[in-house]
Amino acid sequence: MHISATAIICSVRSHGETGAIVRAFSADDGLLAGYVQGARGRNLRPVLIPGNVIKGEWRVRTPGQLASLVAEPLHSRAHLLSEPLAIAAIDWVTALTAATLPEAHPYPRLHSALDGMLSAIELAPAARIWAGALAQYETLLLAELGYAEEGGPDGAPVAMMAQNRERLVAHVLGERRADVMAARERLVDRLKRAVA
């Protein structure tokens, strides 16, 4: 199997001495996992950051095997690492995406929404501008996974996120909730101060 795609990095987990397992979200192929040799080296470390966009080449020799991934940078959001609120938002939406979506199932609407939301976080001067989109992303993810709610949540972004929280934990996160929800709690605390 060989897949070549533009994708948004959603998670990077160290594996072995120098490598990492990277999960990236593409419009046509969905969430794809791959092993990146030398991921913790000087050249690849700034490329393999959640929220960055890569041109990826996934190759598998035999079915069921983890693909090897060669990643080339297309768009970096590394300059946001010094912005606590922006990076908390990026950490949350990418962690949520990586933890909930099944691999290799395309979700083009969700990919488009994630791409737009990451761009809004990067370009907007204040959280008030993108916080509503973040809450709507959670709602869209729930709907795409079959957990749409009649009418959906409404109100201020933090209130919308509070309404989504129960459904995220109950329906899509399950046992992974502790790891992923910690990123969400950091974001909500910062959002309350920024948009209150």
Side-chain angles (χ1 to χ4, degrees), residues 4-189:
S4 178
T6 299
I8 300 165
I9 295 177
C10 290
S11 73
V12 178
R13 190 179 77 223
S14 296
H15 187 77
E17 287 188 28
T18 62
I21 297 173
V22 175
R23 298 181 81 203
F25 188 29
S26 78
D28 296 331
D29 299 293
L31 198 62
L32 299 169
Y35 177 78
V36 179
Q37 182 85 23
R40 290 188 270 165
R42 188 181 335 193
N43 294 332
L44 286 176
R45 199 174 28 220
V47 173
L48 301 176
I49 297 173
N52 282 358
V53 180
I54 60 165
K55 170 73 172 166
E57 298 284 334
W58 287 263
R59 294 183 190 273
V60 176
R61 291 184 193 169
T62 59
Q65 184 182 39
L66 179 64
S68 65
L69 169 61
V70 175
E72 295 178 28
L74 290 181
H75 182 77
S76 176
R77 293 187 171 98
H79 61 281
L80 296 173
L81 290 173
S82 62
E83 301 290 332
L85 185 56
I87 205 63
I90 291 171
D91 282 348
W92 163 240
V93 295
T94 56
L96 176 65
T97 302
T100 57
L101 296 185
E103 290 196 13
H105 291 275
Y107 290 93
R109 284 182 25 179
L110 204 51
H111 181 273
S112 178
L114 178 61
D115 187 45
M117 212 200 73
L118 291 171
S119 294
I121 292 169
E122 181 178 15
L123 300 173
R128 283 184 172 85
I129 297 170
W130 52 258
L134 190 138
Q136 290 171 350
Y137 179 77
E138 291 180 345
T139 304
L140 177 63
L141 183 135
L142 284 161
E144 289 286 307
L145 294 175
Y147 300 102
E149 189 173 72
E150 192 80 19
D154 56 5
V158 174
M160 289 173 64
M161 290 180 73
Q163 293 173 41
N164 285 336
R165 185 185 192 288
E166 297 288 323
R167 293 174 37 221
L168 288 167
V169 170
H171 299 302
V172 298
L173 289 175
E175 294 179 14
R176 298 167 300 230
R177 71 177 171 259
D179 298 333
V180 179
M181 292 304 285
R184 188 177 197 274
E185 299 311 318
R186 282 191 300 276
L187 171 63
V188 170
D189 286 345

